């Protein structure tokens, strides 16, 4: 189980550390402050993952989910920090967490707005929105001076083909570890090519303890709070699509109360992020793709992943070792998983009547707008910052389009979500 949990950690690790690097860099954090931000982020990701995967009477969706830092919050956090100070960021995150907890029941009732035509389309948009990041990683990262070099392409495509090879010719345990083995083999190969730098591993400390309110006592400003409430609502939309996809993959019949418990767990994760000066959290779509790809649907696996993340957060030297994996190696692995997210969405809309012209319009317009906002986010640059948070994110733009178009164009009888349909399972 530990190896399967590690596979989930490696699948989300690059995304988890990217947000603190972007936010910390934009706010002018020192090296020491940035190191704290990365470590506490991993630790909080682990706690949030356990709370969400565990699933009990009061909180947690009880599905194999992994929570990570929400990319939706990057721009708002930077804007709040630059205008109101870092302490205002964490005050607004705490309030947003309380908002999610107290409104979780209401959000749970809104599941009626997510029939298969909407949820399938949203999951497709999530996958399509992630694929450009995976492809950029295959080249070594968008800002890499060696982007798309022969070495990076050899590494990324080598990892991709190795994962496909394991899935084609092996079954059971070997197939379930395909992504992890691909990353390990890719990293070893990269080391022989001289593309792995262990300097950060040698310089990192062995132990780091979390410190509440590390950057100061939270302050509560009205504009940052409103901004973060919008972010929290966006996170609910994103997470709902991931929950529904995992419900299909695992064959679990999700009810309103299940969604409410899921939103409540994410509210708790927000509050933890505010207290320990980390980030807002949501369900990572790439790990949904890993569940589909590996065929391992046990929540115990993601709970183990949560404990591994906590360990990484407490031992920065180990976290730095994982960080030494070249971006191109991650790219070869993540592009497979992001594609599997798209496949999962396509599977979800199989139950939809595609001979209905209105259904085709819903899918076409939603995917086009979602992908368009992802590729050309500056299209909405003239909008006020609070509104731009929504429309510059392709997932949110496409999701809102799918919801609204479904309400306008679809027959009322199709509004109920068909959550009990069994998915096509990946063979193990």
């Amino acid at each position: 189980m530990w190896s399967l949990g590690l596979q989930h950690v490696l699948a989300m690790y690059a995304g988890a550390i990217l947000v603190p690097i972007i936010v910390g860099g934009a706010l002018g954090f020192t090296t020491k402050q940035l190191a704290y931000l990365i470590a506490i982020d991993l630790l909080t990701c682990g706690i949030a993952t356990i709370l969400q995967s565990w699933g009990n009477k009061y909180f947690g969706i009880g599905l194999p989910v992994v929570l990570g830092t929400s990319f939706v919050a990057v721009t708002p956090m930077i804007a709040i920090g630059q205008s109101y100070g870092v302490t205002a960021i964490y005050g607004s995150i705490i309030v947003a967490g309380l908002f999610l907890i107290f409104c979780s029941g209401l959000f749970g009732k809104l599941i009626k707005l997510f029939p298969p035509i909407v949820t399938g389309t949203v999951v497709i948009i999530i996958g399509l929105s992630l694929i450009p990041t995976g492809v950029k990683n295959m080249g070594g990262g968008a800002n890499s001076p060696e982007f798309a070099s022969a070495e990076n392409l050899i590494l990324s495509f080598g990892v991709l083909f190795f994962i496909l090879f394991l899935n084609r010719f092996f079954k059971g345990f070997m197939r379930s570890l395909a992504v992890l083995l691909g990353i390990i083999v890719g990293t070893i190969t990269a080391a022989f090519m001289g593309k792995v730098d262990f300097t950060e591993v040698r310089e990192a400390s062995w132990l780091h303890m979390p410190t509440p309110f590390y950057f100061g006592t939270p302050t509560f400003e009205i504009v940052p709070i409103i901004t973060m409430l919008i972010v929290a609502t966006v996170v609910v939309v994103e997470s709902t699509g991931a929950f529904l996809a995992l419900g299909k993959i695992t064959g679990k019949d999700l009810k309103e109360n299940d969604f409410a418990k899921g939103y409540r767990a994410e509210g708790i994760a927000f509050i933890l992020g505010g207290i320990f000066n980390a980030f807002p959290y949501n369900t990572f779509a790439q790990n949904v793709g890993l569940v589909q790809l590996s065929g391992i649907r046990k929540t115990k696996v993601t709970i183990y992943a949560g404990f591994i993340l906590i360990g990484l957060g407490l031992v920065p030297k180990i976290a730095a070792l994982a960080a030494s994996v070249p971006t191109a190696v991650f790219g070869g692995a993540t592009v497979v998983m992001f594609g599997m997210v798209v496949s999962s969405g396509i599977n979800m809309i199989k139950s939809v009547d595609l001979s209905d012209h209105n259904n085709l319009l819903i899918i076409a317009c939603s995917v086009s707008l979602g992908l368009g906002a992802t590729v050309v986010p500056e299209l909405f640059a003239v909008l006020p910052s609070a509104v731009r948070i929504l429309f510059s994110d392709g997932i949110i733009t496409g999701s809102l389009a799918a919801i609204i178009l479904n309400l306008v164009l679809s027959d009322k009888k199709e509004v109920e979500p068909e959550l009990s349909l069994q998915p096509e399972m990946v063979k193990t």
Side-chain angles (χ1 to χ4, degrees), residues 17-65:
I17 66 172
L18 183 59
V19 172
I21 290 173
I22 294 173
V23 174
L27 296 179
F29 284 6
T30 65
T31 303
K32 181 179 179 181
Q33 289 173 324
L34 187 58
Y36 170 84
L37 197 62
I38 294 172
I40 198 63
D41 173 46
L42 293 172
L43 187 145
T44 313
C45 281
I47 297 174
T49 295
I50 293 171
L51 292 176
Q52 190 68 282
S53 299
W54 176 21
N56 55 62
K57 184 179 179 180
Y58 304 103
F59 59 83
I61 192 71
L63 291 170
V65 299

Side-chain angles (χ1 to χ4, degrees), residues 91-262:
S92 64
I93 291 175
I94 291 173
V95 173
L98 293 171
F99 167 74
L100 284 179
I101 292 173
F102 288 116
C103 295
S104 58
L106 174 62
F107 283 128
K109 295 182 183 300
L110 296 181
I111 188 60
K112 294 181 180 180
L113 299 178
F114 295 91
I117 184 67
V118 173
T119 56
T121 302
V122 169
V123 173
I124 290 173
I125 293 169
I126 291 173
L128 291 175
S129 298
L130 289 170
I131 285 173
T133 300
V135 174
K136 290 176 183 177
N137 287 341
M138 291 182 75
N143 298 320
S144 172
E146 298 180 354
F147 181 77
S149 66
E151 292 85 357
N152 285 336
L153 293 180
I154 290 171
L155 280 174
S156 58
F157 279 99
V159 171
L160 172 60
F161 292 142
F162 185 73
I163 292 172
L164 294 176
F165 173 81
L166 292 180
N167 276 275
R168 174 63 180 85
F169 294 103
F170 292 86
K171 297 182 179 180
F173 186 70
M174 284 293 291
R175 176 183 286 184
S176 67
L177 289 178
V179 173
L180 174 59
L181 293 175
I183 292 174
I184 292 174
V185 171
T187 302
I188 294 173
T189 304
F192 280 108
M193 296 169 64
K195 297 183 70 66
V196 180
D197 184 3
F198 294 105
T199 302
E200 292 186 9
V201 179
R202 290 192 296 269
E203 294 179 354
S205 61
W206 280 103
L207 184 64
H208 171 91
M209 297 304 295
T211 304
F213 309 127
Y214 181 84
F215 293 109
T217 304
T219 56
F220 302 91
E221 304 283 349
I222 186 64
V223 173
I225 288 173
I226 293 174
T227 302
M228 201 56 65
L229 291 180
I230 296 174
V231 170
T233 305
V234 169
V235 165
V236 166
V237 176
E238 285 189 288
S239 295
T240 299
F243 293 160
L244 287 165
L246 282 169
K248 293 288 186 180
I249 294 170
T250 61
K252 182 175 180 179
D253 187 7
L254 298 174
K255 306 295 184 183
E256 285 184 9
N257 187 52
D258 293 315
F259 286 94
K261 291 192 297 181

